[in-house]
Amino acid sequence: MSIHYKSFTEMMAGDLMDQVVSLHIRIFGSSDDLAGRMAEKPKLRIDLAMDAEKLVGYKIGYALNREQFYSWLGGVDESHRHQGIARDLMERQHDYARKEGYASVQTHTKNKWRNMLLLNIREGFDVIGTYTDKTGEPKIILEKKL
């Protein structure tokens, strides 16, 4: 297995976008109009992890403002977890944000996504708050200075 990475600063078309939506559904259970929501985000950044031509991981972020980048969504196919792919995708995203002049990266997660929460903390994120989302689930707000 040889993982390679691709990056985009705008929406992809065709098979790649279909693969992102499909992986998102496998991880989160629904698409929630992912493509439509992506199209609305300012200064979108998409990082993909590929095993040959198969998408095995993704990380999507966008500008919150001129100084903050928001790490919005991401995941790794279950068959490819625990191989450092999520960390690699995070590093690629943070390198991009740093080069673009952002001072920090922010993300929100849920306690049930424990592996992502722990990875964020190991990679330098601080918990800066919590809130309850519209479905009544608590969410954790994390931020990392770049």
Side-chain angles (χ1 to χ4, degrees), residues 126-143:
D126 295 314
V127 174
I128 62 168
T130 61
Y131 68 97
T132 303
D133 70 13
K134 62 184 177 189
T135 66
E137 279 197 82
K139 295 203 68 174
I140 303 162
I141 306 166
L142 299 112
E143 187 171 76

Side-chain angles (χ1 to χ4, degrees), residues 69-124:
F69 190 81
Y70 185 67
S71 182
W72 178 36
L73 291 168
V76 175
D77 186 82
E78 198 169 342
S79 66
H80 285 74
R81 291 183 185 161
H82 309 292
Q83 298 175 32
I85 295 170
R87 178 178 286 108
D88 290 346
L89 288 166
M90 179 185 287
E91 287 176 5
R92 292 175 67 84
Q93 184 185 72
H94 295 182
D95 286 347
Y96 165 81
R98 195 176 291 107
K99 287 174 186 168
E100 290 295 308
Y102 295 99
S104 65
V105 175
Q106 190 176 110
T107 192
H108 299 180
T109 192
K110 297 179 181 181
N111 198 48
K112 71 180 180 180
W113 306 116
R114 185 84 35 133
N115 287 337
M116 184 50 66
L117 176 60
L118 293 172
L119 175 62
N120 284 329
I121 291 169
R122 277 194 305 270
E123 293 300 315

